[in-house]
Amino acid sequence: MPYVNIKITREGATAEQKAELIRGVTSLLADVLGKNPQTTVVVIEEVETDNWGIGGETVTARRRAER
Amino acid sequence: MPYVNIKITREGATAEQKAELIRGVTSLLADVLGKNPQTTVVVIEEVETDNWGIGGETVTARRRAER
Amino acid sequence: MPYVNIKITREGATAEQKAELIRGVTSLLADVLGKNPQTTVVVIEEVETDNWGIGGETVTARRRAER
Amino acid sequence: MPYVNIKITREGATAEQKAELIRGVTSLLADVLGKNPQTTVVVIEEVETDNWGIGGETVTARRRAER
Amino acid sequence: MPYVNIKITREGATAEQKAELIRGVTSLLADVLGKNPQTTVVVIEEVETDNWGIGGETVTARRRAER
Amino acid sequence: MPYVNIKITREGATAEQKAELIRGVTSLLADVLGKNPQTTVVVIEEVETDNWGIGGETVTARRRAER
């Protein structure tokens, strides 16, 4: 019955990668805590880099600086 | 003053249906707990079926299997 | 499959009132959007009045001013 | 290490305004609680006015009534 | 830089089990999406069974019925 | 009308510090985006260090290592 919310920046995760995250987190909760996979809910949210901040600046600004 | 967050898969909920959810949840909190409707906030988030997992697989995969 | 998160201040909601909220929100999602009640998840979070702000001040301060 | 989630209606916030929010919240947590800015995460979510309710009605309906 | 929020019912998860969840989710995000473990944040929330609903009833009521 | 959720580790933030965060975030949203302070909601959640992970380990483990 767990509920898992994963937030990542929107930078091209594929449908297959997202399916793999969902499979992996659901298994982990079954393995570690014995949670029933049938009622484990996982929601992935992809956030624009303009809307994600770390270290006081947006990821957009960090990506630009890294180049 | 309650804050309610409703997450559903993005599968065609109309503006009228969303308005009805907002009305309904706000009334429910007033009826059950006496909460002031004027300051009750409801936020609906619609999530792509690729990004929603249950039972270890995406809703996209489940919808495909149901057909 | 919807997921609903309800945040309220911790001010004495009873177990019965919380059960009523859960029943009510689950019915609402079934009635308005045809969502399956069996997989509708509702999580209620009760927050201390010191940790809830509205209008720039805590609910603790507002309750004190109301007296 | 704090995590801050800011939800606003999608009504034209610019990239510069969002960067300013991120800077401001990160500074505030450093000033008030001594939190390390390097690991402070801020995520801004912009929500359609059809999906945001207050006072039992959508922001879309309120904006229309205000005109 | 991902942020993961895991909500489970408060039913005796140990500190070691929670540490294992944190390790596991962090690895998964590194393996599947190449995310940097150093900035991956995981927050576990344990929710009273009175405050968690599924199928329109609280987990407290379901646990009682299962006995 | 914004909604802000601030999650920090539970490590002794005082009621006054939390009130200051609420005041500060509410002002910031008014200054940067012209949001009405009267309907700005801020919820602070304090999370046990066993339940907060960064870099794949709990904050409890990190605090122990820092000593």
Side-chain angles (χ1 to χ4, degrees):
Chain A
M1 220 159 17
Y3 168 78
V4 181
N5 182 235
I6 300 174
K7 287 195 202 315
I8 53 175
T9 44
R10 187 184 299 279
E11 297 182 276
T14 66
E16 180 42 45
Q17 287 171 321
K18 292 186 281 189
E20 205 175 328
L21 280 184
I22 287 166
R23 261 197 310 277
V25 171
T26 305
S27 292
L28 183 71
L29 282 155
D31 292 351
V32 176
L33 292 177
K35 295 297 184 184
N36 179 1
Q38 288 319 306
T39 53
T40 295
V41 174
V42 183
V43 172
I44 300 170
E45 288 176 51
E46 297 171 277
V47 175
E48 304 303 323
T49 56
D50 275 358
N51 289 21
W52 192 297
I54 183 162
E57 58 180 359
T58 65
V59 174
T60 304
R62 289 169 85 94
R63 293 284 182 263
R64 208 181 297 131
E66 280 162 22
R67 270 181 230 144
Chain B
M1 221 157 16
Y3 168 78
V4 181
N5 182 236
I6 299 175
K7 287 193 199 323
I8 54 176
T9 45
R10 187 184 299 279
E11 299 181 276
T14 64
E16 180 43 44
Q17 287 172 321
K18 293 186 280 189
E20 205 175 329
L21 281 183
I22 287 166
R23 260 196 311 276
V25 172
T26 305
S27 291
L28 184 71
L29 283 155
D31 292 350
V32 176
L33 292 176
K35 295 296 184 185
N36 179 1
Q38 288 318 309
T39 52
T40 294
V41 175
V42 183
V43 172
I44 299 171
E45 288 176 50
E46 296 172 276
V47 176
E48 303 303 322
T49 57
D50 275 359
N51 289 21
W52 192 297
I54 183 162
E57 57 180 1
T58 64
V59 174
T60 305
R62 290 168 85 94
R63 293 285 181 261
R64 207 181 296 130
E66 280 162 23
R67 268 178 229 148
Chain C
M1 219 160 19
Y3 168 78
V4 181
N5 183 235
I6 300 174
K7 287 195 204 312
I8 53 175
T9 44
R10 188 185 298 281
E11 299 182 275
T14 65
E16 180 43 44
Q17 287 172 322
K18 292 186 281 189
E20 205 176 328
L21 280 184
I22 287 167
R23 258 196 314 277
V25 172
T26 305
S27 292
L28 184 71
L29 283 154
D31 292 351
V32 176
L33 292 176
K35 296 296 183 182
N36 179 1
Q38 288 317 307
T39 53
T40 294
V41 174
V42 183
V43 172
I44 300 170
E45 289 176 52
E46 296 172 275
V47 176
E48 303 302 324
T49 55
D50 275 358
N51 290 19
W52 192 297
I54 182 161
E57 58 180 359
T58 65
V59 174
T60 304
R62 289 169 85 93
R63 293 285 182 261
R64 208 182 295 132
E66 281 162 22
R67 272 180 227 144
Chain D
M1 221 159 17
Y3 168 78
V4 181
N5 183 236
I6 299 174
K7 287 195 202 319
I8 54 175
T9 44
R10 186 184 300 280
E11 299 181 274
T14 64
E16 180 41 45
Q17 287 172 322
K18 292 186 281 188
E20 205 176 329
L21 280 184
I22 287 167
R23 259 196 313 275
V25 172
T26 305
S27 293
L28 183 72
L29 282 154
D31 292 349
V32 177
L33 292 176
K35 296 295 183 184
N36 179 359
Q38 288 317 309
T39 53
T40 294
V41 174
V42 183
V43 171
I44 299 170
E45 289 176 51
E46 296 172 277
V47 176
E48 303 303 323
T49 55
D50 275 358
N51 289 21
W52 192 296
I54 183 162
E57 57 181 359
T58 64
V59 174
T60 305
R62 289 169 86 93
R63 293 286 182 260
R64 208 182 296 132
E66 281 162 21
R67 272 180 227 145
Chain E
M1 225 160 13
Y3 169 78
V4 181
N5 182 236
I6 300 175
K7 286 193 202 319
I8 53 175
T9 45
R10 187 184 299 281
E11 297 181 277
T14 64
E16 180 41 46
Q17 287 172 321
K18 292 186 281 190
E20 205 176 327
L21 281 183
I22 287 166
R23 261 196 310 277
V25 172
T26 305
S27 292
L28 184 71
L29 282 156
D31 292 351
V32 176
L33 292 177
K35 294 296 182 184
N36 178 1
Q38 288 318 308
T39 53
T40 295
V41 174
V42 184
V43 172
I44 301 171
E45 288 177 50
E46 297 172 277
V47 176
E48 304 302 323
T49 57
D50 275 359
N51 289 21
W52 193 297
I54 183 163
E57 56 180 0
T58 65
V59 174
T60 304
R62 289 169 86 93
R63 293 284 182 261
R64 207 182 296 131
E66 280 162 23
R67 272 181 226 144
Chain F
M1 221 160 18
Y3 169 79
V4 181
N5 182 237
I6 299 174
K7 287 194 203 314
I8 53 176
T9 45
R10 187 184 298 280
E11 298 180 276
T14 64
E16 180 42 45
Q17 287 172 322
K18 292 186 281 190
E20 205 176 327
L21 280 183
I22 287 166
R23 258 196 311 275
V25 172
T26 305
S27 292
L28 183 71
L29 283 155
D31 292 349
V32 177
L33 292 176
K35 296 294 184 184
N36 179 0
Q38 288 318 308
T39 54
T40 295
V41 175
V42 183
V43 172
I44 300 170
E45 288 176 52
E46 296 172 277
V47 175
E48 304 301 324
T49 56
D50 275 358
N51 289 20
W52 193 296
I54 183 161
E57 57 181 359
T58 64
V59 174
T60 304
R62 289 170 85 95
R63 292 286 181 261
R64 207 182 295 131
E66 280 162 22
R67 272 181 226 145

